[in-house]
Amino acid sequence: MRNLLLVLGDQLDHQSLLWQHSCPAQDAIWMAEVSGESLAPASSKQRTVLFLSAMRHFAQQLQHDGWTLHYRSLDAQPCSLAQALGESLQQLKPEAVRCVLPGDYSLQQQLSTTAQAQGYAIEWLADQHFIARPGEFSRWVSRYQQPRMEHWYRYLRKDRNILMDTNGKPAGGQWNFDKDNRRSFGRNGPGPVPPPRLFEPDSITRAVIDDVQHYLPSLPGQPDNFGWPVCRADALAALEDFIEHRLILFGDYQDAMWSDQPWLYHARLSSSLNLKLLHPLEVIEAAINAWQHKHAPLNAVEGFVRQVLGWREYVRGLYWQHRKDWSQFNALAANAALPDFYWDGKTAMYCLQQSITQVLQQGYGHHIQRLMVTGLYALLLGVEPQQVHHWYLAMYVDAVDWVEVPNTVGMSQYADGGIVGSKPYIASGAYIDRMSDYCRHCAFKPKQASGDDACPFTTLYWHFIYRHQALIGNNPRLAMQLKNWQRKSTQEQQTILQRSQQIIASDLPDTRRLI
Ligand code: FAD
Ligand code: SF4
């Protein structure tokens, strides 16, 4: 064998550089399902089934195309990916090993070390499944003292001529339509929302579900209602379904939440993008095409393009820029433990119960549920960022280190001290009340900060401001919130701080009774 070509679980891309200068006559493919990747840190059943099923579908296609495949299937043996590679190298003795750069820096280190121990230097190939070219982000970012996503987004739009008028101005005369994109559903709710296309498990997925239940029964979540795209054909059908039925209101209701409505107008495309079943440019082009043909308004299309072209490419750039530091970041010195209810959804806080139960059942939560419900509560409570990171990596079907880490450790927990965002995303229960119907079903009162009925978000919001006064006071966008705290009477402040201490110490008997 000339080259052993490593294909990792999120590299299911028939166009990658791996296939250049490779041929089935001389080279062979290596893929491995290992329990270690699902156990430490844990990976939910939905996420594990998605990755393994997508891998098996991809492997089937490769075999069909005539490749020799060394595929290790899930078994009872505890094993990491690096160990599995080490065993295969010893046995197969290829002349060389090639792999596309993984989306996880520590995995790259582990694979390199293992290969080196056997006398191999893995040839790492650039990952071309992004819009930014190799090295482009680091060159761009070096020009800024304080880079922000908005700068990067405008740069890419201009450079790639995306949503631009012929006169060099942004389409519609505005770079963003954010202010149109913050609607809530009002008291009557969303009404009928076109349900997304779900994909019935085929025989491959059903076999994976059986294997996961058999070998990894203790993983969090349930695989029963699995419906994610597991191959390119499914992913293309999911894209078409979104563009046709839900893009139209994506912009308006991007931030809105509603009980028992996990999808609303969101795309559900992140897992297909991250597994590389879809290319980000084809997704953007499909949305722009819908606008050009008057199937979707500009605020929806620009809002969507901003997420994929702007945020997605930006967090990837930042991940690699700070790749050695993310696991150390803890700018707010947060050290509380992640509450147990994050793993089973059993809490009286209805917004959290909804968002967590949904992720246990579907492996999904939309951006505002992640940022302003599960992420916000951990931030206000002061949970140690690595614990929050492990939870997000475990629970969501689209979680891959390069995208999950900057979103969680950076945007959501502000543990990076302001690399991803310019301020911590803090809010009280009033925000959740405005953007959803959750508070109507909850035992707590969103506007109340003290007393037995006080919303824990609201109480902890004030506690956060109190304990981070220096940070908040020095940030012009947050200083008013500190002033509001200072305007409260000493007695009011004391009752809020006492209630906060009860929550932090998990001493909330009424919360427990309501579980
Ligand atoms: P939509 O809401 O329909 O958005 C369209 C697309 O835009 C998404 O498919 C995604 O590819 C992209 N996108 C939107 N926001 C972001 C963002 N902030 N960063 C990167 N891409 C974005 N996204 C992941 O893909 N994997 C993760 O592990 C992940 N972890 C997150 C953790 C936290 C704490 C937060 C706040 C956000 C996280 N996100 C993550 C970003 C975002 O929440 C998801 O991409 C989005 O909810 C996926 O659902 P969707 O496909 O329906 O997206
Ligand atoms: Fe969540 Fe507070 Fe609203 Fe209850 S009252 S749903 S805890 S924000």
Side-chain angles (χ1 to χ4, degrees):
M1 183 196 310
R2 185 180 60 173
N3 292 313
L4 187 63
L5 309 174
L6 315 185
V7 177
L8 309 181
D10 63 341
Q11 299 183 337
L12 311 179
D13 174 11
H14 290 286
Q15 310 301 324
S16 84
L17 284 181
L18 196 64
W19 314 111
Q20 276 186 13
H21 315 296
S22 303
C23 73
Q26 290 177 291
D27 306 317
I29 318 281
W30 182 85
M31 296 176 79
E33 301 174 358
V34 290
S35 57
E37 286 298 304
S38 296
L39 290 168
S43 166
S44 70
K45 286 185 178 156
Q46 287 274 332
R47 180 175 181 269
T48 305
V49 170
L50 170 64
F51 272 71
L52 301 191
S53 173
M55 283 169 71
R56 289 187 195 180
H57 280 87
F58 192 75
Q60 190 184 49
Q61 180 64 47
L62 292 175
Q63 260 174 334
H64 180 262
D65 295 345
W67 288 93
T68 303
L69 197 64
H70 299 280
Y71 193 101
R72 177 180 175 140
S73 297
L74 191 66
D75 56 25
Q77 207 189 323
C79 180
S80 72
L81 202 63
Q83 279 169 332
L85 176 63
E87 287 168 20
S88 297
L89 289 178
Q90 234 168 21
Q91 195 194 334
L92 300 169
K93 301 199 183 339
E95 286 172 29
V97 184
R98 310 176 79 201
C99 186
V100 171
L101 196 70
D104 178 337
Y105 174 66
S106 64
L107 181 64
Q108 185 199 6
Q109 303 300 297
Q110 289 158 25
L111 295 178
S112 286
T113 308
T114 301
Q116 264 164 20
Q118 309 255 352
Y120 292 95
I122 299 178
E123 184 189 352
W124 293 112
L125 307 169
D127 187 346
Q128 296 193 315
H129 202 90
F130 289 89
I131 295 164
R133 300 177 191 109
E136 187 176 8
F137 185 85
S138 48
R139 281 194 299 280
W140 173 86
V141 84
S142 65
R143 304 205 305 260
Y144 289 88
Q145 282 249 306
Q146 230 185 22
R148 289 289 168 237
M149 189 284 287
E150 187 65 30
H151 307 135
W152 171 244
Y153 171 60
R154 291 183 190 191
Y155 158 77
L156 279 181
R157 267 180 72 180
K158 280 193 259 183
D159 194 74
R160 307 302 202 271
N161 196 21
I162 292 174
L163 275 184
M164 298 299 291
D165 282 344
T166 43
N167 59 8
K169 296 263 186 295
Q174 274 171 243
W175 285 106
N176 82 62
F177 293 81
D178 267 1
K179 67 174 180 342
D180 302 330
N181 289 358
R182 297 201 178 112
R183 290 179 63 185
S184 62
F185 292 116
R187 281 207 72 77
N188 295 331
V193 180
R197 184 154 171 205
L198 303 179
F199 299 88
E200 187 76 12
D202 62 7
S203 57
I204 295 182
T205 303
R206 286 198 302 274
V208 171
I209 292 175
D210 289 347
D211 283 354
V212 169
Q213 295 289 49
H214 182 72
Y215 294 117
L216 300 164
S218 62
L219 295 184
Q222 299 112 32
D224 314 338
N225 47 8
F226 184 88
W228 292 100
V230 290
C231 61
R232 179 154 165 83
D234 287 359
L236 284 170
L239 172 61
E240 194 184 315
D241 172 65
F242 166 66
I243 299 286
E244 204 164 309
H245 301 296
R246 294 188 312 285
L247 172 63
I248 188 165
L249 287 176
F250 171 84
D252 288 16
Y253 298 117
Q254 211 173 318
D255 290 1
M257 302 174 278
W258 203 261
S259 299
D260 303 324
Q261 292 271 5
W263 324 115
L264 292 165
Y265 291 95
H266 289 271
R268 295 177 88 249
L269 293 175
S270 48
S271 62
S272 300
L273 284 162
N274 297 351
L275 265 52
K276 308 205 165 70
L277 303 175
L278 290 176
H279 193 282
L281 267 183
E282 75 183 320
V283 165
I284 287 174
E285 276 161 16
I288 293 177
N289 191 41
W291 170 60
Q292 285 166 340
H293 288 86
K294 303 200 183 330
H295 294 317
L298 186 54
N299 74 306
V301 172
E302 188 282 319
F304 182 72
V305 170
R306 162 179 297 270
Q307 306 308 316
V308 180
L309 180 70
W311 276 113
R312 190 169 186 271
E313 295 285 323
Y314 188 64
V315 297
R316 175 169 182 260
L318 289 179
Y319 175 79
W320 286 105
Q321 200 67 19
H322 301 277
R323 57 189 173 278
K324 296 188 181 138
D325 305 325
W326 289 107
S327 61
Q328 318 295 326
F329 284 146
N330 191 356
L332 300 179
N335 57 14
L338 188 76
D340 288 346
F341 65 71
Y342 271 73
W343 297 101
D344 58 19
K346 290 187 178 157
T347 167
M349 290 177 272
Y350 189 77
C351 54
L352 281 161
Q353 187 212 93
Q354 276 279 314
S355 304
I356 295 169
T357 306
Q358 178 190 308
V359 77
L360 286 163
Q361 289 174 351
Q362 316 282 0
Y364 181 83
H366 73 65
H367 189 69
I368 294 302
Q369 290 175 306
R370 299 187 206 199
L371 186 65
M372 300 308 287
V373 181
T374 43
L376 175 61
Y377 194 72
L379 173 70
L380 297 178
L381 196 62
V383 177
E384 200 246 319
Q386 285 301 303
Q387 292 188 42
V388 189
H389 150 56
H390 284 154
W391 184 79
Y392 276 97
L393 192 62
M395 298 305 267
Y396 293 82
V397 288
D398 55 26
V400 183
D401 221 50
W402 66 266
V403 54
E404 178 273 319
V405 166
N407 270 299
T408 303
V409 176
M411 188 189 298
S412 156
Q413 301 301 300
Y414 198 73
D416 60 354
I419 291 173
V420 177
S422 57
K423 64 179 181 65
Y425 281 91
I426 50 166
S428 69
Y431 173 83
I432 295 173
D433 192 26
R434 196 163 61 248
M435 298 312 297
S436 73
D437 67 333
Y438 293 154
C439 304
R440 276 192 245 164
H441 305 281
C442 187
F444 301 110
K445 306 265 180 299
K447 293 201 175 78
Q448 220 165 297
S450 57
D452 285 351
D453 292 341
C455 163
F457 281 82
T458 304
T459 312
L460 291 176
Y461 162 77
W462 290 118
H463 190 262
F464 184 95
I465 290 175
Y466 161 77
R467 67 182 194 267
H468 296 297
Q469 296 191 24
L471 172 77
I472 308 255
N474 285 331
N475 188 315
R477 293 171 68 194
L478 295 177
M480 182 52 81
Q481 305 189 37
L482 178 59
K483 290 215 171 70
N484 290 340
W485 167 252
Q486 288 163 340
R487 268 190 219 116
K488 290 185 187 298
S489 70
T490 312
Q491 198 197 346
E492 199 181 350
Q493 288 181 348
Q494 283 313 315
T495 46
I496 293 174
L497 294 180
Q498 266 166 19
R499 174 80 175 170
S500 305
Q501 286 311 331
Q502 281 182 315
I503 298 170
I504 290 165
S506 295
D507 187 19
L508 268 180
D510 47 352
T511 308
R512 295 210 181 142
R513 202 182 59 236
L514 285 161
I515 285 172

PDB file of all heavy atoms in Angstrom, residues 349-351 429 432 438-439 442 444-446 455-457, ligand 2:
ATOM      1  N   MET A 349     -37.348  25.162  36.198  1.00  0.00           N
ATOM      2  CA  MET A 349     -37.202  26.332  35.326  1.00  0.00           C
ATOM      3  C   MET A 349     -37.625  25.905  33.923  1.00  0.00           C
ATOM      4  O   MET A 349     -36.910  25.164  33.237  1.00  0.00           O
ATOM      5  CB  MET A 349     -35.751  26.829  35.361  1.00  0.00           C
ATOM      6  CG  MET A 349     -35.411  27.451  36.709  1.00  0.00           C
ATOM      7  SD  MET A 349     -33.698  27.973  36.809  1.00  0.00           S
ATOM      8  CE  MET A 349     -32.898  26.483  37.394  1.00  0.00           C
ATOM      9  N   TYR A 350     -38.783  26.360  33.528  1.00  0.00           N
ATOM     10  CA  TYR A 350     -39.431  25.809  32.332  1.00  0.00           C
ATOM     11  C   TYR A 350     -38.607  26.028  31.061  1.00  0.00           C
ATOM     12  O   TYR A 350     -38.545  25.163  30.193  1.00  0.00           O
ATOM     13  CB  TYR A 350     -40.832  26.420  32.187  1.00  0.00           C
ATOM     14  CG  TYR A 350     -41.657  25.757  31.118  1.00  0.00           C
ATOM     15  CD1 TYR A 350     -42.253  24.515  31.348  1.00  0.00           C
ATOM     16  CD2 TYR A 350     -41.819  26.355  29.883  1.00  0.00           C
ATOM     17  CE1 TYR A 350     -43.005  23.906  30.360  1.00  0.00           C
ATOM     18  CE2 TYR A 350     -42.575  25.743  28.893  1.00  0.00           C
ATOM     19  CZ  TYR A 350     -43.166  24.517  29.134  1.00  0.00           C
ATOM     20  OH  TYR A 350     -43.901  23.914  28.152  1.00  0.00           O
ATOM     21  N   CYS A 351     -37.965  27.191  30.967  1.00  0.00           N
ATOM     22  CA  CYS A 351     -37.172  27.472  29.757  1.00  0.00           C
ATOM     23  C   CYS A 351     -36.036  26.453  29.637  1.00  0.00           C
ATOM     24  O   CYS A 351     -35.742  25.955  28.547  1.00  0.00           O
ATOM     25  CB  CYS A 351     -36.620  28.898  29.798  1.00  0.00           C
ATOM     26  SG  CYS A 351     -35.697  29.281  31.293  1.00  0.00           S
ATOM     27  N   GLY A 429     -34.577  37.203  33.243  1.00  0.00           N
ATOM     28  CA  GLY A 429     -35.701  36.409  32.752  1.00  0.00           C
ATOM     29  C   GLY A 429     -36.619  37.213  31.841  1.00  0.00           C
ATOM     30  O   GLY A 429     -37.342  36.640  31.022  1.00  0.00           O
ATOM     31  N   ILE A 432     -36.131  36.348  28.200  1.00  0.00           N
ATOM     32  CA  ILE A 432     -36.719  35.050  27.808  1.00  0.00           C
ATOM     33  C   ILE A 432     -38.243  35.192  27.713  1.00  0.00           C
ATOM     34  O   ILE A 432     -38.885  34.658  26.805  1.00  0.00           O
ATOM     35  CB  ILE A 432     -36.287  33.953  28.810  1.00  0.00           C
ATOM     36  CG1 ILE A 432     -34.762  33.754  28.698  1.00  0.00           C
ATOM     37  CG2 ILE A 432     -37.029  32.637  28.566  1.00  0.00           C
ATOM     38  CD1 ILE A 432     -34.155  32.825  29.728  1.00  0.00           C
ATOM     39  N   TYR A 438     -42.261  30.639  27.331  1.00  0.00           N
ATOM     40  CA  TYR A 438     -41.813  29.759  28.415  1.00  0.00           C
ATOM     41  C   TYR A 438     -42.287  30.228  29.797  1.00  0.00           C
ATOM     42  O   TYR A 438     -42.731  29.419  30.625  1.00  0.00           O
ATOM     43  CB  TYR A 438     -40.281  29.670  28.436  1.00  0.00           C
ATOM     44  CG  TYR A 438     -39.647  28.976  27.237  1.00  0.00           C
ATOM     45  CD1 TYR A 438     -38.336  29.287  26.852  1.00  0.00           C
ATOM     46  CD2 TYR A 438     -40.322  28.012  26.508  1.00  0.00           C
ATOM     47  CE1 TYR A 438     -37.726  28.661  25.774  1.00  0.00           C
ATOM     48  CE2 TYR A 438     -39.726  27.384  25.424  1.00  0.00           C
ATOM     49  CZ  TYR A 438     -38.427  27.705  25.059  1.00  0.00           C
ATOM     50  OH  TYR A 438     -37.832  27.086  23.996  1.00  0.00           O
ATOM     51  N   CYS A 439     -42.165  31.524  30.054  1.00  0.00           N
ATOM     52  CA  CYS A 439     -42.440  32.010  31.415  1.00  0.00           C
ATOM     53  C   CYS A 439     -43.908  31.817  31.801  1.00  0.00           C
ATOM     54  O   CYS A 439     -44.230  31.698  32.971  1.00  0.00           O
ATOM     55  CB  CYS A 439     -42.027  33.470  31.548  1.00  0.00           C
ATOM     56  SG  CYS A 439     -40.293  33.731  31.124  1.00  0.00           S
ATOM     57  N   CYS A 442     -44.227  28.637  33.651  1.00  0.00           N
ATOM     58  CA  CYS A 442     -43.193  28.408  34.666  1.00  0.00           C
ATOM     59  C   CYS A 442     -43.697  28.751  36.064  1.00  0.00           C
ATOM     60  O   CYS A 442     -44.571  29.609  36.235  1.00  0.00           O
ATOM     61  CB  CYS A 442     -41.973  29.273  34.326  1.00  0.00           C
ATOM     62  SG  CYS A 442     -40.558  28.951  35.375  1.00  0.00           S
ATOM     63  N   PHE A 444     -41.915  30.224  38.193  1.00  0.00           N
ATOM     64  CA  PHE A 444     -41.250  31.460  38.640  1.00  0.00           C
ATOM     65  C   PHE A 444     -41.757  32.660  37.857  1.00  0.00           C
ATOM     66  O   PHE A 444     -42.350  32.531  36.788  1.00  0.00           O
ATOM     67  CB  PHE A 444     -39.732  31.320  38.466  1.00  0.00           C
ATOM     68  CG  PHE A 444     -39.159  30.169  39.242  1.00  0.00           C
ATOM     69  CD1 PHE A 444     -38.676  29.046  38.579  1.00  0.00           C
ATOM     70  CD2 PHE A 444     -39.132  30.193  40.629  1.00  0.00           C
ATOM     71  CE1 PHE A 444     -38.164  27.974  39.285  1.00  0.00           C
ATOM     72  CE2 PHE A 444     -38.623  29.120  41.339  1.00  0.00           C
ATOM     73  CZ  PHE A 444     -38.146  28.002  40.659  1.00  0.00           C
ATOM     74  N   LYS A 445     -41.466  33.821  38.417  1.00  0.00           N
ATOM     75  CA  LYS A 445     -41.926  35.076  37.777  1.00  0.00           C
ATOM     76  C   LYS A 445     -40.715  35.809  37.197  1.00  0.00           C
ATOM     77  O   LYS A 445     -39.822  36.219  37.938  1.00  0.00           O
ATOM     78  CB  LYS A 445     -42.600  35.983  38.819  1.00  0.00           C
ATOM     79  CG  LYS A 445     -43.729  35.319  39.593  1.00  0.00           C
ATOM     80  CD  LYS A 445     -45.066  35.633  38.942  1.00  0.00           C
ATOM     81  CE  LYS A 445     -46.241  35.003  39.650  1.00  0.00           C
ATOM     82  NZ  LYS A 445     -46.236  33.542  39.715  1.00  0.00           N
ATOM     83  N   PRO A 446     -40.713  36.016  35.873  1.00  0.00           N
ATOM     84  CA  PRO A 446     -39.498  36.535  35.229  1.00  0.00           C
ATOM     85  C   PRO A 446     -39.065  37.918  35.713  1.00  0.00           C
ATOM     86  O   PRO A 446     -37.885  38.240  35.675  1.00  0.00           O
ATOM     87  CB  PRO A 446     -39.866  36.581  33.741  1.00  0.00           C
ATOM     88  CG  PRO A 446     -41.358  36.532  33.692  1.00  0.00           C
ATOM     89  CD  PRO A 446     -41.792  35.777  34.895  1.00  0.00           C
ATOM     90  N   CYS A 455     -37.533  34.580  39.567  1.00  0.00           N
ATOM     91  CA  CYS A 455     -36.927  33.817  38.470  1.00  0.00           C
ATOM     92  C   CYS A 455     -35.420  33.716  38.723  1.00  0.00           C
ATOM     93  O   CYS A 455     -34.747  34.738  38.883  1.00  0.00           O
ATOM     94  CB  CYS A 455     -37.198  34.548  37.161  1.00  0.00           C
ATOM     95  SG  CYS A 455     -36.122  34.010  35.828  1.00  0.00           S
ATOM     96  N   PRO A 456     -34.869  32.501  38.752  1.00  0.00           N
ATOM     97  CA  PRO A 456     -33.431  32.370  39.022  1.00  0.00           C
ATOM     98  C   PRO A 456     -32.560  33.130  38.010  1.00  0.00           C
ATOM     99  O   PRO A 456     -31.487  33.607  38.368  1.00  0.00           O
ATOM    100  CB  PRO A 456     -33.198  30.859  38.945  1.00  0.00           C
ATOM    101  CG  PRO A 456     -34.515  30.266  39.304  1.00  0.00           C
ATOM    102  CD  PRO A 456     -35.536  31.186  38.728  1.00  0.00           C
ATOM    103  N   PHE A 457     -33.015  33.252  36.778  1.00  0.00           N
ATOM    104  CA  PHE A 457     -32.241  34.034  35.800  1.00  0.00           C
ATOM    105  C   PHE A 457     -32.145  35.490  36.258  1.00  0.00           C
ATOM    106  O   PHE A 457     -31.094  36.110  36.190  1.00  0.00           O
ATOM    107  CB  PHE A 457     -32.917  34.000  34.415  1.00  0.00           C
ATOM    108  CG  PHE A 457     -32.658  32.736  33.636  1.00  0.00           C
ATOM    109  CD1 PHE A 457     -33.398  31.590  33.881  1.00  0.00           C
ATOM    110  CD2 PHE A 457     -31.685  32.693  32.646  1.00  0.00           C
ATOM    111  CE1 PHE A 457     -33.173  30.430  33.157  1.00  0.00           C
ATOM    112  CE2 PHE A 457     -31.454  31.535  31.912  1.00  0.00           C
ATOM    113  CZ  PHE A 457     -32.192  30.400  32.172  1.00  0.00           C
TER     114      PHE A 457
HETATM  115 FE1  SF4 B   2     -37.067  30.660  32.652  1.00  0.00          FE
HETATM  116 FE2  SF4 B   2     -37.381  32.466  34.588  1.00  0.00          FE
HETATM  117 FE3  SF4 B   2     -39.069  32.423  32.555  1.00  0.00          FE
HETATM  118 FE4  SF4 B   2     -39.084  30.461  34.380  1.00  0.00          FE
HETATM  119  S1  SF4 B   2     -39.580  32.601  34.721  1.00  0.00           S
HETATM  120  S2  SF4 B   2     -39.197  30.226  32.155  1.00  0.00           S
HETATM  121  S3  SF4 B   2     -36.916  30.290  34.877  1.00  0.00           S
HETATM  122  S4  SF4 B   2     -36.912  32.864  32.455  1.00  0.00           S
END
